């Protein structure tokens, strides 16, 4: 988020989240895990201190647009929400975990839930989402006053990691279908094709028969599936064409040329509804 602070060195990184109740994160590159300066507790604390000093200026910029009462409770403990205009209360509720938080607590946590860490947009003066039979909010559990938060030190491998998702496979297969397309009709067929990816990442492609020849094999898509080591199954579906005379799209590679031919055909043999640009 915009209020986070990242400080990096050779093979290490410190992350301070804008939620002040969260522990600093120290990440050490696995290649330097044995000789990293972040293994030295004193050096680590000094580096975290530098990051915390910078965090003060980040907070100042973030709070500049907040109402003063958002971070300064009045005598009754009432505070004003930084985003919900004119909403003031001494009790606040978290949409995520149903916690009840006092005004002083929420101001001190910079409007992050002390229970689950939810952001200010999830904090409200009433628990309006709870029905009469859904229980009541419970006061949030907070850390004992003065209790220090130890940084979380972890060894990380910063190299990019690929864990293929269904969405990624879908994009690769569809890109391959466009590569297979040789005319405007087949490009529309590539766009209209329905692609299903199962939990094993095996793929089923369902082609619209009016825009993709039934006898045409999508060789690029087949090659992509082979590279990924997944199975590919092809189907055909039937539905109304996007435009009359869909065969016109098979005679040109240019989508603009097809559009002109399609409009001319409608003007000669059909009806073209004229658009009123002033509406």
């Amino acid at each position: 988020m915009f209020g986070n602070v990242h400080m990096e060195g050779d093979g290490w990184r410190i992350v301070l989240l804008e939620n002040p109740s969260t522990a600093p994160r120290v990440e050490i590159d696995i290649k330097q895990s044995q000789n990293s300066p972040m293994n030295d507790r004193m050096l680590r604390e000094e580096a975290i201190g530098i990051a915390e000093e910078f965090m003060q200026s980040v907070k100042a910029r973030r709070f500049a647009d907040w109402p003063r009462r958002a971070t300064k409770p009045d005598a009754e403990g009432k505070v004003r929400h930084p985003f919900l205009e004119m909403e003031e209360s001494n009790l606040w509720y978290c949409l995520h975990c149903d916690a009840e938080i006092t005004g002083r607590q929420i101001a001190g946590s910079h409007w992050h839930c002390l229970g689950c860490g939810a952001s200010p947009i999830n904090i409200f003066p009433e628990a309006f989402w709870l029905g009469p039979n859904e229980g009541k909010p419970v006061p949030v559990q907070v850390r004992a006053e003065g209790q220090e938060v130890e940084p979380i030190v972890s060894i990380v491998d910063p190299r990019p990691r690929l864990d293929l998702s269904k969405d990624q496979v879908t994009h690769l297969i569809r890109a391959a279908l466009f590569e297979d397309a040789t005319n405007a009709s087949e490009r529309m067929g590539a766009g209209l094709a329905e692609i299903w990816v199962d939990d094993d990442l095996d793929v089923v492609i369902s082609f619209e028969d009016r825009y993709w020849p039934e006898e045409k094999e999508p060789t690029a898509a087949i090659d992509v599936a082979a590279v990924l080591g997944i199975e590919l199954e092809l189907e055909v579906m039937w539905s109304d064409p996007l435009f009359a005379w869909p065969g016109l799209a098979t005679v040109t590679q240019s989508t603009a040329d097809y559009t002109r031919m399609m409009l001319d055909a409608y003007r000669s043999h059909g009806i073209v509804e004229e658009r009123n640009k002033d509406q």
Side-chain angles (χ1 to χ4, degrees):
M1 298 181 70
F2 294 123
N4 297 343
V5 168
H6 296 253
M7 187 171 79
E8 298 188 13
D10 185 13
W12 57 268
R13 181 171 71 154
I14 293 173
V15 180
L16 302 183
L17 302 181
E18 68 174 33
N19 180 357
S21 62
T22 57
R25 296 206 313 256
V26 181
E27 299 174 351
I28 301 173
D29 189 327
I30 191 171
K31 294 180 180 179
Q32 302 190 31
S33 59
Q34 298 301 316
N35 56 6
S36 172
M38 290 299 103
N39 292 331
D40 185 305
R41 184 181 182 89
M42 292 185 63
L43 285 175
R44 184 169 66 237
E45 290 179 352
E46 184 177 350
I48 291 174
I50 294 172
E52 288 175 338
E53 287 181 11
F54 184 73
M55 174 63 87
Q56 297 307 311
S57 63
V58 174
K59 289 178 183 177
R61 290 195 298 270
R62 188 154 54 94
F63 295 162
D65 295 328
W66 288 16
R68 182 178 181 277
R69 188 62 69 200
T71 56
K72 303 290 184 182
D74 65 11
E76 298 177 351
K78 289 184 178 181
V79 288
R80 179 176 297 179
H81 197 286
F83 307 136
L84 302 179
E85 188 174 356
M86 299 305 292
E87 288 285 2
E88 288 192 7
S89 178
N90 61 355
L91 287 177
W92 296 84
Y93 302 91
C94 176
L95 178 64
H96 280 199
C97 68
D98 301 335
E100 180 182 83
I101 312 165
T102 69
R104 290 187 173 87
Q105 288 173 333
I106 200 68
S109 69
H110 305 163
W111 289 86
H112 287 270
C113 177
L114 289 159
C116 68
S119 66
I121 61 173
N122 299 291
I123 306 299
F124 296 92
E126 296 180 2
F128 58 84
W129 55 91
L130 292 178
N133 299 320
E134 294 184 275
K136 295 182 179 180
V138 178
V140 69
Q141 299 296 313
V142 297
R143 191 169 53 247
E145 188 174 351
Q147 181 181 353
E148 293 187 2
V149 180
E150 286 293 321
I152 299 172
V153 181
S154 56
I155 308 299
V156 299
D157 188 339
R159 294 176 299 176
R161 183 182 300 274
L162 176 62
D163 184 9
L164 274 176
S165 67
K166 294 181 180 181
D167 190 53
Q168 289 171 320
V169 171
T170 299
H171 283 297
L172 288 171
I173 293 296
R174 194 173 301 280
L177 292 181
F178 281 108
E179 182 181 338
D180 281 315
T182 58
N183 55 47
S185 176
E186 292 174 6
R187 282 200 301 276
M188 285 193 287
L192 291 169
E194 295 186 3
I195 301 174
W196 291 278
V197 183
D198 65 19
D199 292 339
D200 295 325
L201 300 185
D202 293 329
V203 176
V204 176
I205 305 175
S206 186
F207 290 106
E208 166 56 59
D209 76 314
R210 297 178 187 271
Y211 293 101
W212 192 275
E214 188 172 354
E215 69 280 1
K216 181 183 176 74
E217 281 199 341
T219 54
I222 293 171
D223 289 344
V224 168
V227 171
L228 295 176
I230 60 178
E231 295 184 6
L232 182 65
E233 183 179 339
L234 307 178
E235 295 181 348
V236 177
M237 60 181 175
W238 293 268
S239 60
D240 292 335
L242 291 174
F243 308 101
W245 310 289
L248 291 174
T250 64
V251 300
T252 178
Q253 294 185 4
S254 168
T255 305
D257 286 346
Y258 161 67
T259 303
R260 279 190 286 269
M261 289 190 293
M262 178 265 294
L263 289 175
D264 288 344
Y266 269 103
R267 292 186 181 110
S268 299
H269 306 287
I271 300 173
V272 178
E273 296 288 347
E274 298 297 335
R275 296 177 57 204
N276 187 346
K277 295 183 179 180
D278 295 331
Q279 290 183 348

